[in-house]
Amino acid sequence: MAGETILVVDDSQLTRDFCVEYVLKPNRYVPCVARDGEEGIRLALMHKPDLIVLDLEMPKLSGIDVLKSLRAQSLNIPVILSTAHGSEALAIEAFRLGVRDYVVKPYEIPDMLNAIERALSETRARRERDEVNAQLTLANHALESRLREFTTLYGIGKSVTALLDHDVLLKRIIEGAQYVTTAQACVLRLWEGASQQLRVQAVIGASAAILQTDAQLAHQVLQSGLPVGAGLDVAVPLKVGRKIIGTLE
């Protein structure tokens, strides 16, 4: 996997160019460069790179100073320390500040690539874990929502078998529909064969204007036998077998 952004902080242009042109670009990493520690901190805060390749010995701010500043600002970005031969003791000390790895200058391309892959493996694993956790959270929310819907529908089913009062039963039905759909208004109409009209039988939260607008949708549903939507309004057919007996909006 590549495509990660890597910030190279080094006061040597030769080293920066070598890392960018021969290590990062050929392996499809996105390079970002800083010429000193101060610029490195600024770019790290601005771009939040996936990895920092940090020179140990620089003017103004050393690599250790940069590490302390990043940690003080709670910027948890993996760092590879680039150090001259003979500075390994300082590099090891830098591990206490969260350095993932270090390479000794002048380094070979495979050495830096291996260090980059090792450092990024933890980041990739953490990102994958976060994505899995996010998917599980969404799945749990969806499951809870479905459970509430089934509980509501079960309650409506019990009402259908237990209630004898026609008006109360229809009221329970639209209350359940409103709860499941989180609609602000809900209207139930039944077809009257004698008058050949749809009559409003139960209403929650619907104004006269809404009733008039939804009546047009209801007649479209009655004719097509299919759900019809207009903006945020939706009307669906109520059926017994294949016969449409009314609409729910």
Side-chain angles (χ1 to χ4, degrees), residues 149 174-186 248:
E149 292 175 10
I174 65 168
E175 285 174 351
Q178 184 188 37
Y179 178 80
V180 170
T181 62
T182 67
Q184 293 181 346
C186 192
L248 183 67

Side-chain angles (χ1 to χ4, degrees), residues 3-246:
E4 291 98 340
T5 299
I6 298 180
L7 172 61
V8 180
V9 185
D10 201 299
D11 62 319
S12 168
Q13 183 175 346
L14 183 63
T15 302
R16 293 196 306 269
D17 291 346
F18 177 80
C19 188
V20 169
E21 299 299 330
Y22 294 96
V23 178
L24 302 184
K25 285 185 177 180
N27 292 282
R28 298 184 295 114
Y29 294 109
V30 179
C32 181
V33 296
R35 293 162 293 185
D36 55 50
E38 290 181 352
E39 186 180 21
I41 293 171
R42 181 174 60 82
L43 292 179
L45 291 170
M46 181 184 302
H47 297 294
K48 302 294 193 301
D50 298 290
L51 175 67
I52 299 175
V53 177
L54 178 64
D55 187 18
L56 178 61
E57 298 178 2
M58 293 181 293
K60 297 182 181 180
L61 292 177
S62 69
I64 298 295
D65 294 330
V66 172
L67 283 170
K68 290 179 178 178
S69 177
L70 295 177
R71 297 301 174 260
Q73 299 182 69
S74 301
L75 207 60
N76 188 26
I77 299 172
V79 174
I80 296 173
L81 208 60
S82 175
T83 177
H85 182 71
S87 302
E88 290 91 334
L90 286 175
I92 293 173
E93 181 183 349
F95 275 86
R96 299 171 187 170
L97 294 170
V99 169
R100 297 291 195 276
D101 207 341
Y102 77 95
V103 293
V104 178
K105 294 180 180 180
Y107 52 78
E108 300 289 335
I109 294 174
D111 295 335
M112 179 57 79
L113 276 177
N114 289 335
I116 288 174
E117 285 299 308
R118 286 195 299 269
L120 286 176
S121 62
E122 181 180 339
T123 302
R124 291 166 180 165
R126 183 171 62 250
R127 185 182 299 125
E128 291 174 359
R129 184 181 66 245
D130 292 343
E131 290 175 356
V132 170
N133 288 337
Q135 292 173 1
L136 287 174
T137 300
L138 289 175
N140 285 336
H141 288 330
L143 184 61
E144 290 173 0
S145 177
R146 294 298 295 168
L147 181 60
R148 287 195 298 270
E149 292 175 10
F150 283 129
T151 301
T152 302
L153 294 175
Y154 175 73
I156 293 173
K158 290 184 66 176
S159 296
V160 169
T161 58
L163 288 174
L164 297 178
D165 189 305
H166 179 266
D167 293 335
V168 175
L169 175 59
L170 296 180
K171 186 75 170 178
R172 291 282 177 84
I173 290 175
I174 65 168
E175 285 174 351
Q178 184 188 37
Y179 178 80
V180 170
T181 62
T182 67
Q184 293 181 346
C186 192
V187 182
L188 188 150
R189 305 173 198 261
L190 293 181
W191 176 255
E192 287 187 352
S195 63
Q196 295 292 294
Q197 290 183 347
L198 279 170
R199 298 288 188 184
V200 174
Q201 301 292 326
V203 181
I204 294 179
S207 65
I210 292 177
L211 288 174
Q212 184 175 0
T213 301
D214 284 355
Q216 300 173 4
L217 293 180
H219 281 91
Q220 293 179 40
V221 170
L222 199 65
Q223 293 173 2
S224 66
L226 299 172
V228 175
L232 296 177
D233 296 330
V234 178
V236 297
L238 298 177
K239 296 182 178 181
V240 174
R242 295 185 176 182
K243 182 181 179 181
I244 299 176
I245 64 168

